């Protein structure tokens, strides 16, 4: 990964510390914990309070805690993430301090902190939505259900209902981000993990990947031609390595920087212009070059939209110049498809051909026809389109010339997409879901519709209304395979939703939830013994770490253990004890009192780790402060919260969800806000509804685009959303989680998880079985923390949960085991062994159960985010 580190010169504002008073009431769970704690202290004789070096706290292997999303060449300092027994014991005194903080204690900030943001509320089309209206509806839905494993029956569009509209809780102090967007703050939340982030950062010359096109600003200085470059490569141009002649390749990428076409203007020659962006959304952004000559407001704007079939540039009061870094050998005028369009064929020096469509438009001063422009090849690198009259506008479109698609392209030329938005519907009692990418369109074409591109996972689920609009136009993409052109203003896909998957272990092969078919008396006794032993560990110390990611993993581990105690073993007393400690551990984060507290970023708008906001290292906690991996980090907390909420309803007061909903919903909003009415978080920060999965990379320049190396943690976030929606009674949230899971089942098994007959991925990659790191412009079978096979394959497994078999089919798991894992698993002596063997339950549960049941089982084989309790219960349930 090529990353540009950002210098952090921001001076942190002091973090006001909340103060407790003697009058402040502690919640009952904390009172019980304090009574037990002090009873133990005072009953011990002097000298008895000894912290043993053999505390039942598992070591955290450095192989598990390797850095992720680290820049290439940066050292992976495992010691930053290795928590020894002594380190954990030394935090004991901090536990007593945290227990003294009241449940309702918050980090308060002046009311003026959110004044500017509050002024924007109610200005969107959804301003009439009130939080109380949908909260009341959700609580009524929840109260009417006896079993939280029963899916809510949501019907309608799940994307119209916001999660919340209020400012973030005041436990999150507000700060400006040390990294500013290229255009400054536009006043609205700015997407951070989208295909266009490169042009918001650093020199702003990094590429934008609309797939299959890459586009970039050529830069203000030292360039022979000023404008926006366009590149498209065919699969014959892709680079395989490390040995390009080998039958199997570790990586493949499309060469960067082939400026086949450069869209510019003669007025930009002296560099007297500005580059700017506007209208950033979850599907599009507009890039503009504006002339700064006195008295002239000439401007060129390119709408950069996912799925656009042609690249379109709109000119006002400029003389278009089309250049090429490759060079032209010929410019030939072709028959025009309609009276108001001119068509040319541009032949490049590498033999590739592009078609150029030109329409003369009106700027309000002069109206002319297509005949009012002269197109000339000035030299081998330059074509100009000079209007007969001054003060006119141009619409210019370029597209790779494909003879067998010429009719389709001619019929759709002249019309173009300017943006897109998402709608959907849930029907059939929550079992069927439709999502539609609807395009905003301008211009006119013979077909009456523009050319848009659908990826293979779209095509597999297309609704008939879109399917019939297919054309012969096809382009190739490294990340998305062969893209098919449709003459359409929308892509509509239909999915069958996994609404029958709940909290209990689930087997896709056996089509249902499993409650312990393999739980023999012998296994049950071992499971009971293991649960007791693992719940005897100190949750507070293990969960409050310096990293939100690792803290979340451990928190979720303990939630699953308590779940096993209640719902697999049906031991309410044991589960209650575990739930009390689990709530205490979670409250540290719900009150934002953890080691790496979260702050609200006023610049980009989101919840980020305070640790990376002020000391100059953007990679602290895997770049959380710069929006890396938020769905990985927060998904663990949201899942743990869903489990606690279910347990509390069955064993506790039943109020925990309401008491903690504001905090948990803030995490969900940060990653997956569905509504433009929410002015505090961008829409869909991580999940890309066009690509069909999330992108993990945040505010870092990357010349291969965004990337993701853990498909399974992506899945875990969507699964956590689904379950949190279930326990809170938010049917729309649960439905969105279900729809995301269904979409990822298609996309991940197309682009990241490879069965031997995968028809989309280049054949040289199929023996790898997983993508490793999937970029927008590259597939690299490795990880950011090492190239061991258990790392590369295992990072796509964790965590193994009830939804895993839905995504990772038994056939794929068996092939991966036979071809990649069987030969290495017995040599592993750390947590990766446990991960691989738990994943084995998806294809051979008996072998998995035997491993975790074995008398010689070694706790070194447990990843810090997994427990032997959940592994035993899961494998036994799948037998």
């Amino acid at each position: 990964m090529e990353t540009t580190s950002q210098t952090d010169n921001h001076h942190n504002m002091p973090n006001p510390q909340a103060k407790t008073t003697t009058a402040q009431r502690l919640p009952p769970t904390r009172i019980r914990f304090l009574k037990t704690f002090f009873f133990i202290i005072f009953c011990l004789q002097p000298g008895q309070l000894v912290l043993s070096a053999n505390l039942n706290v598992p070591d955290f292997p450095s192989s598990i805690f390797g850095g992720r999303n680290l820049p290439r060449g940066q050292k992976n300092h495992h010691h930053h993430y290795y928590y020894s027994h002594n380190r954990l014991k030394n935090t004991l005194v901090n536990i007593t301090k945290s227990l003294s903080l009241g449940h309702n204690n918050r980090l308060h900030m002046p009311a003026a902190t959110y004044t500017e943001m509050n002024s924007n509320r109610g200005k969107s089309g959804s301003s009439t939505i009130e939080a109380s209206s949908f909260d009341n509806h959700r609580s009524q839905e929840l109260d009417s259900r006896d079993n939280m494993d029963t899916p809510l029956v949501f019907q309608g569009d799940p994307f119209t209902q916001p999660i919340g509209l209020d400012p973030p809780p005041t436990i999150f102090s507000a700060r400006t981000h040390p990294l500013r967007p290229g255009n400054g703050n536009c006043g609205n939340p700015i997407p951070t993990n989208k295909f266009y982030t490169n042009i918001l950062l650093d020199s702003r010359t990094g590429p934008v990947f609309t797939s299959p096109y890459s586009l970039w600003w050529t830069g203000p200085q030292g360039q022979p031609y000023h404008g926006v470059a366009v590149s498209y490569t065919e699969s014959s141009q892709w680079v395989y390595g490390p040995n390009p002649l080998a039958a199997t390749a570790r990586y493949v990428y499309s060469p960067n920087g082939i400026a086949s076409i450069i869209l510019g203007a003669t007025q930009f020659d002296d560099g007297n212009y500005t580059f700017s962006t506007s209208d950033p959304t979850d599907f599009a952004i507009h890039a503009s070059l504006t002339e700064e000559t006195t008295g002239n407001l000439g401007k060129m704007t390119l709408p950069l939209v996912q799925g656009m079939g042609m690249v379109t540039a709109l000119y006002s009061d400029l003389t278009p110049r089309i250049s090429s870094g490759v060079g032209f050998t010929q410019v030939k005028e072709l028959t025009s498809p309609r009276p108001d369009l001119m068509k040319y064929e541009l032949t490049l020096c590498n033999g590739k051909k592009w078609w150029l469509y030109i329409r003369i438009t009106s700027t309000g001063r002069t109206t002319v026809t297509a005949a009012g422009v002269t197109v000339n090849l000035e030299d081998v690198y330059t074509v100009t389109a000079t209007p007969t009259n001054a003060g006119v506008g141009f619409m210019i479109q370029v597209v790779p010339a494909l003879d067998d698609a010429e009719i389709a392209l001619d019929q759709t030329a002249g019309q173009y997409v300017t943006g897109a938005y998402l709608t959907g519907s849930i029907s059939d009692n929550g079992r069927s879901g439709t999502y539609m990418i609807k395009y905003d369109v301008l211009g006119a074409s013979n077909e009456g519709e523009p050319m848009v591109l659908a990826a293979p996972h779209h095509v597999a689920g297309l609704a008939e209304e879109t399917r019939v609009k297919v054309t012969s136009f096809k382009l190739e993409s490294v990340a998305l395979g062969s893209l098919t052109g449709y003459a359409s203003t929308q892509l509509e896909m239909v999915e069958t939703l996994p609404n029958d998957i709940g909290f209990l272990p689930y087997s896709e092969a056996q089509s249902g939830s499993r409650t312990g078919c393999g739980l023999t008396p012998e296994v049950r006794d071992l499971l009971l013994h293991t649960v007791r032993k693992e719940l005897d560990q100190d949750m507070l110390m293990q969960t409050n770490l310096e990293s939100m990611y690792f803290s979340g993993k451990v928190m979720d581990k303990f939630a699953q253990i308590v779940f096993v105690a209640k719902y697999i073993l049906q031991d309410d007393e044991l589960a209650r004890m575990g739930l009390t400690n689990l709530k205490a551990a979670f409250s540290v984060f719900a009150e934002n009192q953890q080691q790496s507290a979260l702050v609200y970023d006023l610049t980009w708008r989101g919840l980020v780790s305070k640790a990376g906001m002020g000391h100059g290292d953007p990679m602290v906690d895997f770049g959380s402060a710069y929006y890396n991996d938020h769905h990985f980090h927060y998904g663990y907390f949201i899942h743990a919260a869903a489990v606690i909420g279910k347990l509390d309803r069955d064993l506790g007061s039943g109020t925990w969800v309401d008491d903690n909903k504001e905090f948990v919903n803030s995490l969900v909003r940060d990653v997956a806000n569905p509504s433009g009415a929410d002015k505090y978080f961008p829409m869909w920060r991580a999940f890309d509804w066009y690509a069909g999965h999330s992108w993990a990379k945040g505010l870092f320049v990357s010349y291969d685009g965004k990337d993701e190396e853990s498909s399974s943690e992506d899945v875990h976030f969507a699964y956590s959303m689904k379950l949190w929606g279930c326990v809170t009674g938010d049917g729309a949230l649960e439905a969105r989680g279900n729809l995301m899971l269904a979409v990822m089942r298609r996309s991940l098994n197309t682009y990241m998880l490879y069965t031997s007959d995968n028809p989309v991925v280049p054949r040289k990659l199929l023996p790898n079985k997983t993508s490793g790191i999937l970029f927008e412009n590259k597939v690299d079978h490795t990880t950011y923390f090492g190239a061991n096979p258990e790392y590369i394959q295992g990072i796509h497994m964790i965590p193994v949960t009830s939804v895993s078999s839905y995504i990772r089919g038994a056939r794929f798991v068996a092939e991966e085991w036979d071809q990649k894992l069987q030969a290495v698993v017995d040599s592993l002596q750390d947590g990766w062994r446990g991960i691989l063997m738990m994943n084995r339950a998806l294809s051979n549960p008996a072998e998995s159960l035997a491993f975790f049941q074995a008398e010689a089982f070694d706790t070194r084989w447990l990843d810090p985010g997994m427990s032997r309790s959940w592994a035993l219960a899961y494998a036994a349930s799948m037998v």
Side-chain angles (χ1 to χ4, degrees), residues 86 88 103 105 127 143 220 336-337 397 413 448 459 546-547 556 620 625 876:
N86 291 333
L88 290 172
H103 177 71
N105 197 24
S127 60
D143 292 341
S336 172
Q397 291 180 303
V459 174
E546 291 178 349
S547 160
D556 209 5
V620 170

Side-chain angles (χ1 to χ4, degrees), residues 7-72:
T7 303
D8 185 352
N9 296 317
H10 177 66
H11 179 68
N12 280 340
M13 295 188 299
N15 188 6
Q17 297 297 318
K19 297 180 180 179
T20 56
T21 66
T22 55
Q24 193 171 20
R25 294 181 59 86
L26 295 173
T29 55
R30 192 158 295 183
I31 292 174
R32 287 195 295 270
F33 191 95
L34 282 171
K35 286 180 178 178
T36 303
F37 180 78
F38 287 114
F39 174 81
I40 294 171
I41 294 296
F42 290 121
C43 287
L44 288 172
Q45 297 299 317
Q48 278 188 296
L49 185 57
V50 178
L51 292 175
S52 168
N54 295 317
L55 281 175
N56 189 15
V57 180
D59 285 329
F60 292 172
S62 60
S63 62
I64 300 296
F65 278 27
R68 295 176 50 199
N69 278 339
L70 298 178
R72 179 175 291 133

Side-chain angles (χ1 to χ4, degrees), residues 21 27 62 93 118 165 207 323 345 363 546 632 664 750 778 849:
T21 66
S62 60
V93 66
N118 277 315
L165 298 174
S323 308
E345 183 175 86
T363 64
E546 291 178 349
F632 299 162
V664 179
T750 304
K778 178 172 66 176
L849 177 59

Side-chain angles (χ1 to χ4, degrees), residues 763-798:
R763 296 207 61 81
K764 285 189 173 188
L765 300 184
L766 291 185
N768 296 332
K769 305 314 295 179
T770 65
S771 58
I773 307 173
L774 179 68
F775 296 79
E776 292 178 289
N777 189 55
K778 178 172 66 176
V779 182
D780 196 348
H781 192 244
T782 188
T783 74
Y784 282 111
F785 54 93
N788 290 10
E790 66 270 22
Y791 302 170
I792 303 170
Q793 311 304 130
I795 200 66
H796 287 276
M797 300 174 187
I798 61 170

Side-chain angles (χ1 to χ4, degrees), residues 56 522-537 558 561-562 564-565 569 574 577 852-854 857 859 862 866-873:
N56 189 15
E522 180 185 10
V523 174
R524 191 186 189 283
D525 288 345
L526 175 60
L527 181 57
L528 179 60
H529 171 77
T530 304
V531 169
R532 285 173 174 164
K533 184 176 181 180
E534 292 185 329
L535 285 182
D536 197 41
Q537 297 174 14
F558 282 117
I561 298 170
V562 181
V564 170
L569 292 173
L574 183 60
M577 180 273 290
F852 288 103
Q853 187 183 358
F857 182 83
T859 56
L862 291 175
M866 69 180 293
S867 67
R868 191 182 183 191
S869 298
W870 175 245
L872 282 167

Side-chain angles (χ1 to χ4, degrees), residues 392-688:
V392 302
F394 290 85
M395 181 222 69
I396 288 182
Q397 291 180 303
V398 293
V399 63
L402 302 177
D403 291 340
D404 57 354
E406 184 170 11
I407 294 176
L409 290 168
D410 282 353
Q411 289 297 101
T412 53
Q415 203 159 20
Y416 54 95
V417 297
T418 62
Y421 59 98
L422 186 67
T423 66
S425 65
I426 307 297
S427 59
D428 192 20
N429 291 320
R431 289 186 289 267
S432 179
T434 297
Y435 69 106
M436 290 160 279
I437 301 172
K438 291 191 172 182
Y439 288 96
D440 299 312
V441 178
L442 289 176
S445 68
N446 291 337
E447 187 69 31
E449 296 189 280
M451 180 68 74
V452 296
L453 294 168
H457 75 282
H458 298 139
V459 174
L462 277 179
E464 186 62 21
E465 182 180 349
T466 304
R467 190 179 299 277
V468 297
K469 297 180 178 181
V470 66
T471 73
S472 56
F473 183 52
K474 289 183 180 292
L475 296 177
E476 297 174 296
S477 163
V478 168
L480 293 175
S482 177
L483 297 142
T484 303
Y486 289 79
S488 179
T489 57
Q490 70 179 36
L491 297 175
E492 180 179 358
M493 282 67 64
V494 181
E495 301 288 355
T496 300
L497 305 185
N499 67 338
D500 55 339
I501 301 177
F503 291 85
L504 289 168
Y506 176 91
S507 171
E508 180 70 11
Q510 301 180 59
S511 301
S513 295
R514 313 286 293 171
T515 56
C517 299
L519 203 63
T520 65
E522 180 185 10
V523 174
R524 191 186 189 283
D525 288 345
L526 175 60
L527 181 57
L528 179 60
H529 171 77
T530 304
V531 169
R532 285 173 174 164
K533 184 176 181 180
E534 292 185 329
L535 285 182
D536 197 41
Q537 297 174 14
D538 194 319
M539 294 188 195
L540 279 166
M541 284 196 298
Q542 285 198 43
T543 54
N544 189 9
L545 307 176
E546 291 178 349
S547 160
M548 282 292 288
Y549 175 68
F550 294 131
S551 295
K553 287 184 65 171
V554 180
M555 187 76 70
D556 209 5
K557 172 188 73 174
F558 282 117
Q560 291 285 48
I561 298 170
V562 181
F563 181 91
V564 170
K566 166 60 181 170
Y567 300 107
I568 303 297
L569 292 173
Q570 299 181 353
D571 189 326
D572 286 4
E573 182 180 356
L574 183 60
R576 256 189 211 97
M577 180 273 290
L579 179 60
T580 298
N581 295 337
L582 183 60
K583 287 179 177 179
F586 196 94
S587 69
V588 173
F589 293 85
E591 295 166 9
N592 205 29
Q593 295 294 318
Q594 68 275 21
Q595 290 190 49
S596 295
L598 300 178
V599 297
Y600 181 73
D601 166 24
L602 292 164
T603 304
W604 301 87
R605 309 270 173 105
L607 296 178
V608 298
S609 173
K610 178 179 68 175
M613 287 284 278
H615 60 61
D617 183 2
M619 287 312 304
V620 170
D621 203 1
F622 308 116
S624 171
Y626 285 65
Y627 295 97
N628 271 8
D629 297 355
H630 277 205
H631 56 314
F632 299 162
H633 296 199
Y634 299 162
Y636 287 106
F637 286 97
I638 297 164
H639 183 263
V643 174
I644 296 172
K646 177 175 172 60
L647 287 162
D648 180 68
R649 184 179 182 185
D650 293 343
L651 295 175
S653 64
T655 63
W656 190 90
V657 166
D658 287 339
D659 293 341
N660 291 272
K661 184 163 65 173
E662 188 179 34
F663 167 73
V664 179
N665 276 357
S666 295
L667 301 183
V668 181
R669 287 168 70 186
D670 176 84
V671 176
N673 165 37
S675 173
D678 184 348
K679 297 303 181 183
Y680 300 97
F681 299 93
M683 293 176 64
W684 301 109
R685 182 187 308 285
F687 197 77
D688 184 333

